[in-house]
Amino acid sequence: MELVLEVEDADAVTKSALRRIAGEAEMPPAERAHVESTVTEDTAEALAYLVDPFDLVSQVPGVELQQASWSSERIEYDPDSPDWDLDEDDVEDEDDNGG
């Protein structure tokens, strides 16, 4: 599974992550300072703090999350560009389906 997101308002994502961190009553002050710094410096980290991969798939029948990882990069995304067609792995080869 691959998920591509467009962050339209990085400040809103960061502020939301900071609000969630502020609500973590059990978080030690040193950890809180580190996490706040991390999410403030990197929108991808703020998003990772807000989105729990387990929550994304926990209600899907027949699916059990084995591992989740994050990576991010800034790209210029143009959904109308032919460069953004399905990956080769997403398209069944005629040899694969017997035809």
Side-chain angles (χ1 to χ4, degrees):
M1 168 184 216
E2 186 173 328
L3 179 65
V4 177
L5 300 174
E6 178 181 359
V7 175
E8 295 180 348
D9 188 345
D11 288 338
V13 173
T14 300
K15 287 176 184 176
S16 183
L18 290 171
R19 279 192 300 275
R20 179 168 292 174
I21 293 165
E24 298 279 345
E26 302 295 320
M27 187 179 292
E31 182 181 348
R32 181 181 310 278
H34 174 72
V35 173
E36 287 174 342
S37 174
T38 301
V39 302
T40 301
E41 293 172 11
D42 186 353
T43 305
E45 289 293 333
L47 184 61
Y49 194 82
L50 293 168
V51 178
D52 181 353
F54 178 77
D55 286 345
L56 292 175
V57 298
S58 64
Q59 300 299 313
V60 178
V63 174
E64 182 178 337
L65 182 66
Q66 296 295 313
Q67 178 180 347
S69 62
W70 287 95
S71 67
S72 68
E73 63 181 294
R74 293 186 183 272
I75 58 170
E76 294 298 323
Y77 177 64
D78 178 4
D80 297 324
S81 170
D83 294 338
W84 288 97
D85 284 341
L86 294 174
D87 290 334
E88 298 83 37
D89 295 340
D90 296 334
V91 178
E92 287 188 24
D93 189 341
E94 286 183 17
D95 294 335
D96 291 343
N97 62 17

